Amino acid sequence: MDLGIEIKEQGKNYSINYENASGWRRSLSRLIEDNVVFSPKDARELLKKEGDVFIYEVYNLWKTIPKVKEMSEKTGINCDVTVLNYGIISTSDSGELFFTYGHKHERGYAEVYTLLAGEAFLISYEEERQRMTAIHMEEGDEVLISPTSIHRLYCGRKGAVVAGLVPREAGHDYNAVKGRGMPYGVFLSDGKYDYQKNHKFKDVELDLSEASSGRTLEIFFETPEEVKRLLGMKSL
Ligand SMILES: [Fe+2]
């Protein structure tokens, strides 16, 4: 899928390049301040050792890339790309993997994430049902995120470049995560993935699910009405 961006691989991480890039970034200190990390102690030790490590960046392709902007204006669907670095929030080689803050949509719309490069986990928490789902994603995989879930990305053994399609009016509620994080964190412990239970949450069940390869990004440019329906938007 040619979104008009160039993805560069640098070791375990990725960067993206395009004309008039527009975005914002989050670093470790903010995740500590807002109390969304699994172990504040490990996070503060990392901060002390490595400084305010850059965790992820979000680029709003729909603002400046002509073909994306045109389709976004036509449909009301935003296309953002998240570049999540690889890393562990710890000074040892075991700990919580780097993640995005996480949010819930303010208005009930779904979202589609497509992994353009690297490796990631999408975790989504349905608070009413007290269930959390973790999905491992490889290049080309996509996941449909439910309108009611609180969702977050974790990196895998590499960083990740993820494209998201979401209605502009969906809105981001970060307070759903602030001060508590998510019910489970994705860890790398002795080279193996591991899900650790966050004791701020009680009795949340964890389901592991599979991603599927999909072509929603292509469909967005071909027959956008289909994507509008998928995301729960009313047709024109
Ligand atoms: Fe979202």
Side-chain angles (χ1 to χ4, degrees):
M1 176 68 222
D2 179 22
L3 285 174
I5 59 174
E6 185 197 355
I7 299 174
K8 284 189 188 162
E9 196 171 349
Q10 297 153 321
K12 291 182 174 184
N13 287 320
Y14 298 88
S15 62
I16 68 167
N17 217 337
Y18 65 96
E19 225 175 285
N20 304 317
S22 147
W24 51 273
R25 63 165 59 183
R26 269 203 177 116
S27 55
L28 181 61
S29 61
R30 175 69 190 280
L31 302 178
I32 296 174
E33 267 164 42
D34 283 6
N35 214 358
V36 298
V37 296
F38 195 92
S39 165
K41 180 177 171 283
D42 288 346
R44 279 193 297 268
E45 282 173 4
L46 181 65
L47 187 71
K48 202 171 161 192
K49 188 181 173 203
E50 303 283 343
D52 197 7
V53 188
F54 152 46
I55 309 274
Y56 68 101
E57 202 148 29
V58 177
Y59 294 89
N60 310 121
L61 305 194
W62 59 277
K63 285 186 181 168
T64 53
I65 295 180
K67 76 169 192 180
V68 183
K69 189 176 176 190
E70 186 193 328
M71 203 45 94
S72 177
E73 279 165 6
K74 192 170 149 188
T75 58
I77 296 171
N78 284 355
C79 179
D80 293 321
V81 165
T82 300
V83 179
L84 172 60
N85 276 340
Y86 166 79
I88 292 172
I89 303 181
S90 162
T91 51
S92 76
D93 55 8
S94 294
E96 188 178 25
L97 287 160
F98 280 11
F99 58 81
T100 62
Y101 197 110
H103 63 265
K104 186 177 180 178
H105 298 159
E106 289 166 331
R107 287 170 233 33
Y109 291 108
E111 177 167 21
V112 173
Y113 276 175
T114 306
L115 189 69
L116 302 179
E119 196 188 339
F121 291 85
L122 184 271
I123 64 168
S124 60
Y125 171 40
E126 297 288 353
E127 195 156 23
E128 285 203 359
R129 293 197 290 120
Q130 290 294 292
R131 293 192 93 93
M132 200 191 89
T133 306
I135 300 174
H136 181 249
M137 297 178 78
E138 290 177 357
E139 233 170 270
D141 284 345
E142 66 173 45
V143 173
L144 177 66
I145 298 166
S146 100
T148 50
S149 77
I150 304 171
H151 44 281
R152 167 189 276 189
L153 283 166
Y154 277 88
C155 69
R157 290 188 180 87
K158 299 186 215 175
V161 182
V162 178
L165 291 175
V166 68
R168 192 167 307 174
E169 55 182 284
H172 291 74
D173 172 16
Y174 292 102
N175 286 324
V177 179
K178 195 174 181 178
R180 61 176 189 166
M182 297 289 274
Y184 291 84
V186 184
F187 279 61
L188 196 62
S189 305
D190 299 322
K192 288 187 183 141
Y193 293 127
D194 180 28
Y195 301 95
Q196 295 206 12
K197 197 172 190 308
N198 177 351
H199 294 289
K200 288 178 183 161
F201 294 80
K202 278 189 181 148
D203 304 325
V204 177
E205 283 195 54
L206 175 67
D207 302 311
L208 303 183
S209 184
E210 303 276 316
S212 53
S213 58
R215 44 185 310 279
T216 304
L217 268 181
E218 278 96 339
I219 294 169
F220 178 59
F221 292 97
E222 291 161 6
T223 46
E225 282 298 317
E226 276 184 52
V227 180
K228 287 181 73 168
R229 277 195 295 276
L230 185 67
L231 302 180
M233 299 170 83
K234 289 188 201 90
S235 293
L236 290 172

